């Protein structure tokens, strides 16, 4: 399937690759982020668009924060920075609250796996919801018709 070839958000173990939506449709380019500040900057600069994608990118930004700056003060600072990167994105506040909650009582050694599992879950659920919407929406289309988004 052609849609599966282009992934807007890729977690790569120690970095986040974001499809630069400013370059579409003419060019397929990714921006690499190694820390929460870079993710917040990418969100502010409209590299990532759409509330669900913004929340997913920010959740991975928290993972990068835990991976690189694993102290409660640094992580909280990064969560606030990410939340402030696009305050009108509805899902962003929810995602940052979820990341904050799962990390609240985590010992330092558990923070990374817990943060990563949570970000992966946020991402997975969004993909599943989009696939369900696409499947249900496709049933409304006549053969040979198309949708422009």
């Amino acid at each position: 399937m052609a849609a599966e070839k282009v992934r807007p958000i890729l977690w790569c173990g120690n970095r986040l690759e974001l499809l630069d939506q400013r370059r579409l449709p003419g060019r397929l380019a990714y921006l690499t982020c190694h820390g929460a500040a870079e993710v917040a900057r990418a969100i502010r600069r409209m590299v990532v668009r759409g509330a669900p994608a913004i929340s997913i990118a920010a959740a991975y930004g928290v993972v990068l924060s835990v991976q690189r700056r694993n102290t409660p003060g640094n992580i909280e600072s990064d969560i606030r920075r990410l939340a402030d990167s696009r305050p009108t994105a509805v899902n962003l506040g929810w995602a940052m609250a979820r990341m904050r909650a799962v990390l609240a009582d985590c010992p330092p050694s558990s923070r990374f796996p817990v943060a990563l599992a949570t970000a992966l879950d946020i991402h997975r659920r969004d993909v599943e919801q989009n696939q369900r919407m696409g499947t249900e929406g496709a049933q409304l289309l006549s053969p040979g018709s198309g949708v422009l988004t």
Side-chain angles (χ1 to χ4, degrees):
M1 211 183 247
E4 291 181 10
K5 293 180 183 177
V6 177
R7 303 268 181 189
I9 301 170
L10 297 165
W11 173 252
C12 299
N14 64 351
R15 69 186 191 283
L16 183 63
E17 301 282 336
L18 299 172
L19 176 65
D20 190 341
Q21 294 185 27
R22 302 168 302 177
R23 308 287 182 240
L24 296 174
R27 186 167 162 234
L28 189 65
Y30 284 84
L31 178 73
T32 301
C33 299
H34 292 96
E38 291 173 290
V39 176
R41 190 175 316 112
I43 292 169
R44 272 193 317 278
R45 293 182 175 169
M46 305 286 285
V47 170
V48 182
R49 297 182 189 182
I54 291 167
S55 67
I56 294 164
Y60 285 122
V62 174
V63 176
L64 290 169
S65 177
V66 169
Q67 195 172 47
R68 290 174 170 42
R69 297 165 33 96
N70 195 5
T71 68
N74 288 337
I75 295 166
E76 180 56 32
S77 173
D78 286 338
I79 288 173
R80 281 195 308 271
R81 174 182 292 149
L82 289 158
D84 291 343
S85 64
R86 187 89 55 80
T88 58
V90 177
N91 303 39
L92 180 55
W94 167 84
M96 294 301 90
R98 183 169 175 202
M99 296 302 287
R100 183 181 283 121
V102 300
L103 292 171
D105 296 320
C106 266
S109 62
S110 298
R111 286 185 192 131
F112 179 75
V114 166
L116 180 57
T118 304
L120 289 168
D121 184 60
I122 291 169
H123 194 171
R124 178 189 56 77
R125 287 175 186 247
D126 182 69
V127 169
E128 288 173 355
Q129 289 170 352
N130 286 319
Q131 288 173 337
R132 268 195 310 279
M133 284 189 290
T135 299
E136 291 178 23
Q139 296 171 16
L140 303 173
L141 299 176
S142 302
S145 64
V147 176
L148 178 64
T149 62

